[in-house]
Amino acid sequence: MSTPADQIITALRTGHEELAALVRDLKEDDLLRPSGASEWQVSQVLSHLGSGAEITLASLDAARTGAPAPDGDFNRGVWARWDAMAPAEHAAGFLAANQRLVEAYEALDAETRATLRIDLGFLPEPVDLATAGRFRLSEFALHQWDVEVAFNPFAAVTPDAVSLLLDQVGGMLSWTSRPQELAGREATLLVRLHAPDRTFGLRLGEKVEVVDAPQRPDGELAAPAEAWLRLATGRLGREHTPEGVEVTGPVTLDDLRRVFVGF
């Protein structure tokens, strides 16, 4: 049976192949298009993914060899080097750096995948490979959408990634939301998702959090799971909202769009 780590590595390979097939054919003007990330052009998203791949690989290599984990100075040096690249270099650099990272994940044997602990630098203690890989998958899958939607307004997050990321969304809401946008209003929504199915509560107030499904909700949010993932990460603008997203009760979908600013 495949483990969570196996599934995440497979999803990272699938996402890489999908995005690489697009990026290889991009011209200079394509790289300068606005992306789904509101403040970045396509090339800047690729720069972010490429530099992130370098840093993630350095953390993985450190864990494998017992070396110290990369520190803030290392990360800043990587970001500065990528920031200085031209758009075409961002594209080529992303293709090479992310390929190296995925290959490094794939090269890990079953025992290493089960026992390795990785210091990511921003958590209190090292985490297992599945947890570390899920952080990378979250970053990769959503920024993959940012690139793809620049060329296809109907782009969607890869289904395998949606299934693997869906249950961690609740932990992201503290830093992907702005509850102050509700101006003091409070509500608890019943959330019903499909493909895959999930049912839970969404409490809106001084903070935004996922809770158990309420027996007496103030309203309801029904949506494809992929759309919920993008809503919670600030990627469900009106022009990119699929059919089947419905909100009832004291808040509107536009209210939720303002609350979920994403990254």
Side-chain angles (χ1 to χ4, degrees):
M1 291 180 61
S2 65
T3 66
D6 298 336
Q7 294 165 15
I8 289 165
I9 291 169
T10 298
L12 286 167
R13 166 57 72 184
T14 299
H16 175 77
E17 295 299 333
E18 290 174 349
L19 186 52
L22 172 64
V23 171
R24 290 188 190 102
D25 292 332
L26 296 184
K27 309 301 182 186
E28 184 79 14
D29 289 348
D30 296 325
L31 293 168
L32 300 179
R33 286 193 188 196
S35 75
S38 60
E39 298 180 357
W40 284 347
Q41 298 171 336
V42 168
S43 73
Q44 292 169 303
V45 178
L46 296 175
S47 173
H48 180 76
L49 285 176
S51 61
E54 276 199 37
I55 292 168
T56 302
L57 180 57
S59 298
L60 178 62
D61 286 344
R64 291 178 59 248
T65 63
D71 58 14
D73 287 339
F74 174 85
N75 294 351
R76 285 187 287 273
V78 172
W79 293 327
R81 177 161 42 80
W82 281 80
D83 286 345
M85 293 181 184
E89 294 174 310
H90 288 155
F94 157 74
L95 291 170
N98 203 62
Q99 176 71 16
R100 287 193 295 270
L101 174 61
V102 174
E103 287 178 347
Y105 278 132
E106 291 172 332
L108 301 175
D109 60 29
E111 180 179 359
T112 303
R113 294 185 185 195
T115 61
L116 191 68
R117 295 297 180 267
I118 303 172
D119 183 355
L120 296 178
F122 56 86
L123 295 175
E125 59 186 17
V127 296
D128 62 14
L129 183 66
T131 300
R134 191 174 276 108
F135 275 109
R136 176 58 182 177
L137 181 61
S138 177
E139 176 182 54
F140 186 90
L142 292 164
H143 287 311
Q144 176 184 351
W145 182 87
D146 289 336
V147 173
E148 291 178 346
V149 79
F151 306 95
N152 174 15
F154 304 104
V157 178
T158 303
D160 287 350
V162 172
S163 297
L164 291 165
L165 298 176
L166 195 56
D167 293 330
Q168 78 167 36
V169 172
M172 300 166 56
L173 297 184
S174 62
W175 56 278
T176 62
S177 62
R178 289 181 182 169
Q180 62 269 28
E181 291 292 333
L182 294 175
R185 288 181 292 161
E186 298 185 358
T188 300
L189 303 182
L190 176 64
V191 180
R192 297 184 185 275
L193 307 180
H194 61 88
D197 293 344
R198 295 287 191 281
T199 302
F200 53 88
L202 179 66
R203 182 179 295 152
L204 306 166
E206 291 186 3
K207 61 180 180 178
V208 179
E209 56 186 339
V210 168
V211 296
D212 291 338
Q215 292 185 345
R216 296 183 178 179
D218 301 306
E220 184 170 320
L221 166 62
E226 189 271 345
W228 158 247
L229 180 63
R230 286 197 286 114
L231 173 63
T233 56
R235 291 169 168 82
L236 198 71
R238 292 186 180 186
E239 68 276 27
H240 303 309
T241 300
E243 294 183 1
V245 179
E246 298 180 357
V247 179
T248 61
V251 298
T252 67
L253 182 54
D254 281 339
D255 288 330
L256 295 177
R257 289 185 177 114
R258 288 193 297 272
V259 168
F260 295 118
V261 293
F263 58 89

